[in-house]
Amino acid sequence: MTAPALSCRDVTVRFGDFTALSGVSLDVAAGATIALIGPNGAGKTTLINALSGRVALAAGTIALDGRDITGLPAHARARAGLGRSFQIINIFPDMTVEQNLRIGAQAHRFRLQPFWRPAAAWPELAAQARAMAEMVGLADMLDQPVGRLSHGRQRALELGLTLMAEPRVLLLDEPLAGVGRQELAATVALIDRVRRGRTVLLIEHNMDVVMALSDEIVVMMAGQVLMRGDPASVRADPTVRRAYLGDGEAA
């Protein structure tokens, strides 16, 4: 039997006396796109932080392609093939699009870049940066300072930076946060494009996007998994409608 691309068993996370996650178990099959939904405070981002190594577990285990990564720090999980984006954009606003992407290429190629050689001595890094800019729709903005880009294009750049590490599994935490209506369709199309051939765990509050992109949906409530199913069954479930989508005619 093929191991899930990403899995966790009985994951519990505590912050002092507060239990943010309580015994969460989840399998994500290779190539699947799974959405995490639930009200604010349900534990969605905490779960992604736990999977990516950014918060410590009080209990439980995490595996990537069947390999136990519970004890690995975040950077080692990234090198093992686990990439993630954040609700708040992480980019270098005073640098250009190409410079940002080249830094991503350098970080993936070198554990410690040879400081005695300038970045220009590695032309393949610039080529990788330009190729990624093409993939995320920023090829005509290579020389633009990132701080001048629209929010949607900054989101595209951050996704490109995440992809520079060639992750097999992507954890996307609200990739549409702050994206204006006029850029929404292009950003959704980009997410749809890059998820193909990869395993994706997605947090998103735009339910139309969740229903369109997801193979399955996991509903969280109070640090636990409330239910899991395909989009149609989740939309129709009365418990989910009451807990998250709204019940009765309001849904």
Side-chain angles (χ1 to χ4, degrees):
M1 182 176 179
T2 303
L6 181 66
S7 64
C8 65
R9 290 287 176 271
D10 301 318
V11 165
T12 297
V13 173
R14 297 190 182 96
F15 301 108
D17 293 332
F18 174 67
T19 300
L21 294 176
S22 179
V24 173
S25 295
L26 183 67
D27 288 335
V28 183
T33 298
I34 308 297
L36 292 176
I37 70 169
N40 290 334
K44 306 181 298 295
T45 295
T46 301
L47 177 57
I48 279 189
N49 284 340
L51 294 171
S52 59
R54 295 182 179 273
V55 298
L57 307 188
T61 59
I62 299 168
L64 182 67
D65 291 325
R67 174 194 174 193
D68 190 334
I69 61 169
T70 310
L72 293 183
H75 71 273
R77 298 186 194 196
R79 286 199 171 275
L82 185 62
R84 80 152 294 175
S85 69
F86 295 83
Q87 292 180 23
I88 300 173
I89 294 174
N90 285 275
I91 53 178
F92 300 100
D94 295 329
M95 302 175 71
T96 67
V97 168
E98 183 174 4
Q99 288 169 337
N100 270 264
L101 290 171
R102 193 168 59 197
I103 287 173
Q106 290 172 209
H108 178 57
R109 172 159 184 171
F110 305 110
R111 291 181 181 271
L112 178 64
Q113 181 177 337
F115 59 86
W116 57 89
R117 294 184 65 182
W122 307 94
E124 64 271 27
L125 299 180
Q128 290 170 18
R130 290 192 293 270
M132 184 57 67
E134 181 75 33
M135 176 183 289
V136 299
L138 298 175
D140 59 344
M141 300 178 183
L142 285 169
D143 296 327
Q144 286 289 318
V146 170
R148 297 181 187 174
L149 299 182
S150 66
H151 198 85
R153 285 169 172 162
Q154 289 182 357
R155 283 284 178 195
L157 174 62
E158 186 191 37
L159 185 54
L161 284 168
T162 302
L163 294 174
M164 291 302 288
E166 301 178 357
R168 299 185 304 282
V169 178
L170 270 176
L171 309 177
L172 302 180
D173 193 354
E174 297 190 34
L176 299 179
V179 175
R181 184 176 301 177
Q182 68 275 14
E183 294 184 304
L184 185 62
T187 307
V188 172
L190 173 60
I191 295 168
D192 190 30
R193 193 160 65 247
V194 303
R195 76 185 178 94
R196 299 183 184 279
R198 296 181 176 88
T199 305
V200 177
L201 190 60
L202 166 74
I203 298 175
E204 183 49 57
H205 289 294
N206 186 317
M207 293 307 299
D208 290 335
V209 173
V210 166
M211 295 294 171
L213 296 184
S214 305
D215 299 309
E216 288 188 281
I217 298 172
V218 174
V219 185
M220 295 190 68
M221 177 72 68
Q224 297 180 311
V225 173
L226 181 65
M227 77 160 291
R228 175 176 181 167
D230 61 76
S233 63
V234 168
R235 187 193 290 273
D237 186 89
T239 303
V240 175
R241 293 165 73 93
R242 287 193 300 271
Y244 183 59
L245 299 175
D247 58 6
E249 280 98 27

